[in-house]
């Protein structure tokens, strides 16, 4: 049976769960769907356009994809993710999508209760994560179909909710609402606990002088709450401290243990910084929402000095469009070359994303003097670096060996965001490919086994989504598949050992975890 209706966080002694997922955005939702027993099978009438992949799928048609060799199925596939299982699952759900085709998924889903793995998903707000905090009117980067999760087509859900179905792209408000309803309609809501804030995640064998500390207002459970007979077992598990925010605003501390921990926190917690002198000055912002608020209140209307926008991603492009549409002069500085193949604009079809290609065209206008007059209020500064911000509203830029000082009315630094893993020892730095650097979705993602998504540095720790470089929702689903398969295989081995005579770990798990939390 799934988790009971009661709050499983308030227990003494603390509860030990097979799996705890931190983060209730699309990554955590998709993983919970699969851990709840939903399994993908090749549809009886399906014919994948990739003949080699289809031949492999036919070999084990009677098995769910979660029970097959993912490395074998992924071999030879290419896509816009560096994780092979992400590419595999995407091509099963959206065959040849990157070539402009709209082939239907070759999968159908079955609910198999015997494959349920007990778990809880912890999140700060309602299911959907950061999507509930995004601007509600702008269009998303991806097609609506690419934002959907298994078992509930976005178009079918949106049919009775959207006023305008002309665009295949959805607004963040629509996507957030879709995710919130998804957990209800699929019956997995019982696994979700909202309004939970994690303060620390540790393992007892970590050093006593760990950099992770508990907030003074969030008192962790007492050490004496753990029975001595379970001490050996708990040393092998993840110890999770936090609090749940009640309706009256009070904080209810909790402590629980997890045999396996999954990080699904995304990367929208902390804006990336330039780390230059003067970046904390009042006129320097790292939020497009603050810029839009200033524009909406007319604080920048009629400004003589331009707004400096730093960055060459889609958020920076949104800021450029906002300024352009409101007749606000802009200096747009970015480090990349205009012909850099990694510019996001080069990866987006023009027909689907005309507004972003307009920004890219604006970025290129400075190269040609004939075209430079097309956007007189916009100045493109490719291959420029910010050296410092001055108190007198001036910014120092550098390109090559040349420096220039510009007077501005506001600076907007939009160069991405980083995950906030403060609850882990050393903020999780040891988990990355470069262990001495902060975790970032592009430069230093969590190092994982490509076919299980288990950390290469810590056993029984998994990560998926942006934390491992999968920034598009269409690709994070592969991580959920890989983790589900890995945990399913391990659970099957544990059951087998218990049937054959039992291992000490398995017996302790049965003793500590109440029967109602087991299958």
């Amino acid at each position: 049976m799934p988790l009971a209706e009661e709050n499983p966080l308030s227990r003494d002694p603390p509860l030990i769960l097979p799996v705890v997922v931190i983060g209730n955005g699309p990554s955590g939702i998709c993983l919970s769907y699969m851990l709840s027993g939903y399994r993908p099978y090749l549809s009886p009438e399906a014919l994948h356009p990739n003949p080699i992949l289809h031949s492999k799928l036919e070999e084990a048609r009677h098995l769910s994809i979660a029970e097959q060799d993912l490395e074998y199925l992924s071999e030879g596939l290419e896509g816009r993710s560096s994780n092979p299982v992400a590419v595999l699952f995407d091509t099963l759900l959206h065959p040849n999508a990157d070539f402009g085709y709209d082939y239907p998924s070759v999968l159908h889903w079955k609910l198999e209760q015997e494959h349920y793995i007990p778990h809880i998903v912890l999140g700060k707000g309602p299911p959907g994560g950061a999507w509930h905090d995004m601007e509600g009117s702008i269009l998303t980067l991806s097609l609506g179909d690419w934002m959907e999760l298994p078992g509930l087509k976005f178009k079918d859900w949106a049919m009775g909710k959207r006023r305008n179905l002309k665009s295949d792209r959805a607004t963040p408000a629509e996507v957030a609402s879709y995710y919130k309803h998804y957990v209800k309609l699929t019956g997995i809501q019982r696994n979700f606990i909202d309004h939970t804030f994690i303060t620390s995640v540790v393992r007892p064998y970590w050093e006593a002088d760990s950099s992770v500390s508990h907030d003074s207002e969030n008192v962790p459970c007492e050490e004496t709450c753990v029975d001595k007979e379970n001490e050996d077992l708990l040393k092998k598990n993840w110890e999770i401290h936090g609090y749940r925010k009640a309706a009256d605003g009070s904080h209810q501390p909790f402590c629980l243990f997890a045999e396996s921990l999954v990080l699904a926190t995304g990367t929208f917690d902390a804006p990336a910084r330039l780390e230059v002198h003067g970046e904390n000055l009042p006129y320097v912002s790292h939020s497009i929402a603050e810029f839009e608020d200033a524009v909406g209140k007319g604080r920048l209307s009629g400004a003589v000095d331009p707004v400096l926008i730093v960055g060459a991603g889609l958020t920076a492009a949104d800021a450029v469009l906002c300024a352009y549409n409101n007749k606000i002069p802009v200096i747009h500085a970015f480090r990349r070359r205009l012909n850099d193949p990694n510019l996001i604009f080069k990866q987006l079809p023009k027909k689907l994303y005309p507004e972003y290609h307009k920004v890219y065209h604006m970025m290129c206008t400075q190269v040609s003097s004939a075209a430079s007059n097309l956007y007189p209020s916009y100045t493109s500064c490719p291959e420029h670096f910010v050296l410092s911000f001055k108190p007198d509203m001036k910014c120092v830029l550098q390109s090559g060996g040349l420096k220039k000082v510009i007077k501005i009315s506001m600076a907007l630094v939009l160069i991405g965001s980083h995950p906030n893993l403060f609850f882990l020892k050393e903020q999780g730095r040891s988990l990355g490919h470069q262990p001495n650097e902060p975790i970032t979705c592009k430069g230093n993602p969590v190092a994982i086994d490509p076919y299980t998504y288990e950390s290469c540095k810590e056993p029984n720790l998994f990560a998926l989504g942006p934390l491992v470089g999968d920034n598009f929702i269409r690709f994070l689903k592969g991580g959920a598949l890989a983790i589900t398969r890995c945990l399913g295989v391990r659970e099957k081995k544990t059951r087998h050992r218990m049937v054959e005579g039992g291992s000490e770990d398995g017996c302790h798990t049965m003793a500590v975890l109440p029967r109602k939390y087991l299958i």
Side-chain angles (χ1 to χ4, degrees):
M1 293 289 294
L3 292 176
E5 296 295 335
E6 66 186 51
N7 181 1
L9 298 182
S10 302
R11 293 186 57 85
D12 187 13
L15 179 67
I16 296 180
L17 280 167
V19 184
V20 171
V21 183
I22 299 178
N24 65 352
S27 296
I29 295 172
C30 187
L31 178 58
S32 180
Y33 180 80
M34 297 191 198
L35 292 180
S36 296
Y38 286 94
R39 292 296 176 100
Y41 286 83
L42 181 66
S43 297
E45 71 283 358
L47 180 64
H48 198 282
N50 183 323
I52 298 177
L53 176 58
H54 186 79
S55 177
K56 293 179 180 180
L57 294 170
E58 286 284 3
E59 294 173 7
R61 177 183 279 275
H62 62 290
L63 295 177
S64 74
I65 306 299
E67 297 173 278
Q68 298 185 38
D69 186 338
L70 300 182
E71 182 174 2
Y72 172 65
L73 294 178
S74 303
E75 186 180 10
L77 298 179
E78 296 181 354
R80 285 166 39 190
S81 171
S82 58
N83 296 311
V85 179
V87 175
L88 165 67
F89 207 42
D90 179 67
T91 196
L92 295 176
L93 293 169
H94 306 287
N96 287 5
D98 285 334
F99 297 103
Y101 294 100
D102 190 23
Y103 292 129
S105 169
V106 299
L107 301 178
H108 72 109
W109 294 82
K110 296 181 182 179
L111 177 57
E112 299 174 342
Q113 295 281 4
E114 67 273 18
H115 291 304
Y116 179 86
I117 297 177
H119 66 281
I120 57 175
V121 183
L122 306 178
K124 298 176 182 178
W131 284 92
H132 291 282
D133 300 325
M134 296 183 188
E135 170 61 42
S137 61
I138 62 173
L139 293 175
T140 65
L141 169 62
S142 298
L143 297 173
D145 288 353
W146 291 357
M147 313 300 288
E148 69 187 20
L149 298 178
L152 179 62
K153 292 187 69 64
F154 183 86
K155 284 183 178 179
D156 294 343
W157 173 85
M159 191 64 68
K161 302 180 181 296
R162 300 184 69 182
R163 297 179 180 178
N164 181 10
L165 294 176
K166 292 182 180 180
S167 175
D168 287 331
R169 292 162 62 192
T171 67
E174 290 171 332
V175 175
S177 180
Y178 166 78
Y179 292 143
K180 187 176 180 180
H181 283 85
Y182 179 92
V183 300
K184 296 179 181 179
L185 297 174
T186 57
I188 64 174
Q189 188 175 21
R190 67 191 71 186
N191 302 318
F192 287 74
I193 304 179
D194 304 339
H195 309 296
T196 54
F197 297 79
I198 307 302
T199 55
S200 76
V201 175
V202 297
R203 259 181 164 161
Y205 64 75
W206 278 353
E207 295 83 0
D209 62 346
S210 169
S211 61
V212 177
S213 62
H214 301 288
D215 292 349
S216 58
E217 63 176 345
N218 306 318
V219 182
C221 62
E222 300 294 329
E223 292 181 3
T224 56
C225 70
V226 181
D227 294 337
K228 292 294 184 181
E229 64 186 74
N230 294 320
E231 185 175 350
D232 291 340
L233 173 63
L234 297 183
K235 285 181 179 179
K236 300 177 182 179
N237 295 328
W238 294 95
E239 182 179 348
I240 304 165
H241 294 267
Y243 65 92
R244 192 177 189 193
K245 194 171 184 180
D248 61 2
S250 63
H251 292 178
Q252 303 170 349
F254 65 82
C255 169
L256 55 88
F257 290 85
E259 297 172 6
S260 294
L261 178 72
V262 181
L263 301 177
T265 58
T267 64
F268 293 100
D269 289 323
R273 298 175 62 87
L274 295 168
E275 303 296 344
V276 299
H277 182 73
E279 194 170 2
N280 291 323
L281 289 169
Y283 69 89
V284 181
S285 173
H286 299 79
S287 167
I288 189 173
E290 291 182 8
F291 176 61
E292 291 173 336
D293 182 65
V295 172
K297 293 180 178 179
R299 292 203 294 263
L300 297 173
S301 60
V304 176
D305 298 320
V307 170
L308 173 66
I309 297 176
V310 182
L314 297 177
T315 305
D318 286 333
V320 169
L321 288 170
C322 179
Y324 178 79
N325 293 333
N326 287 277
K327 298 180 174 56
I328 298 172
V330 168
I331 295 176
H332 186 192
F334 47 95
R335 296 184 297 177
R336 293 185 183 274
R337 306 185 314 274
L338 289 170
N339 60 353
D340 190 329
N342 292 318
L343 276 174
I344 185 64
F345 310 102
K346 292 182 174 293
Q347 303 175 32
L348 304 177
K350 289 184 178 181
K351 289 184 178 180
L352 292 176
Y353 307 100
E355 73 277 30
Y356 290 130
H357 279 273
K358 177 181 179 179
V359 173
Y360 181 57
H361 183 257
M362 295 169 68
M363 292 164 63
C364 297
T365 55
Q366 305 299 312
V367 177
S368 170
S369 58
S372 61
N373 294 327
L374 289 176
Y375 309 102
S377 63
Y378 172 88
T379 302
S380 178
C381 297
E383 301 181 72
H384 277 65
F385 298 79
V386 174
L387 291 183
S388 64
F389 296 100
K390 303 296 184 182
D392 57 355
M393 307 285 286
K394 292 180 181 179
C395 175
V396 182
L397 297 177
Q398 179 174 342
S399 180
L402 300 177
K403 296 181 182 179
K404 63 175 71 172
V405 179
I406 57 174
K407 185 76 165 62
I408 58 177
S409 59
M410 181 180 185
L412 197 57
V413 179
L414 301 172
I415 56 175
S417 57
H418 298 321
N420 191 347
L421 300 177
F422 72 95
F423 51 82
L424 290 175
K425 177 185 176 183
E426 297 177 350
Q427 301 187 34
R429 291 191 177 206
S430 63
L431 303 176
H433 287 270
Q434 304 171 44
N436 295 323
E437 299 293 328
I439 298 296
T440 61
C441 60
K442 293 182 180 179
N444 189 35
V446 174
I448 56 169
D449 180 293
Y451 301 103
T452 66
Y453 281 62
E454 185 174 22
S455 167
C456 296
K457 312 294 178 64
E458 284 289 341
N460 299 318
L461 175 66
F462 299 81
L464 76 164
L467 289 174
V468 299
D470 285 332
N471 298 303
F472 293 102
I473 290 175
R474 54 184 286 209
F475 291 118
L476 64 81
K477 306 165 197 174
L481 173 67
I483 295 173
T484 299
R485 183 186 187 282
C486 178
L487 294 176
V489 169
R490 291 182 182 178
E491 184 187 49
K492 188 177 296 185
K493 289 180 179 178
T494 300
R495 289 182 179 179
H496 179 72
R497 287 198 303 267
M498 293 170 64
V499 170
E500 293 296 324
S503 69
E504 187 176 354
D505 289 356
C507 292
H508 272 293
T509 302
M510 292 288 287
V512 178
L513 190 62
R515 183 177 181 82
K516 62 187 175 183
Y517 293 107
L518 297 173
I519 293 175

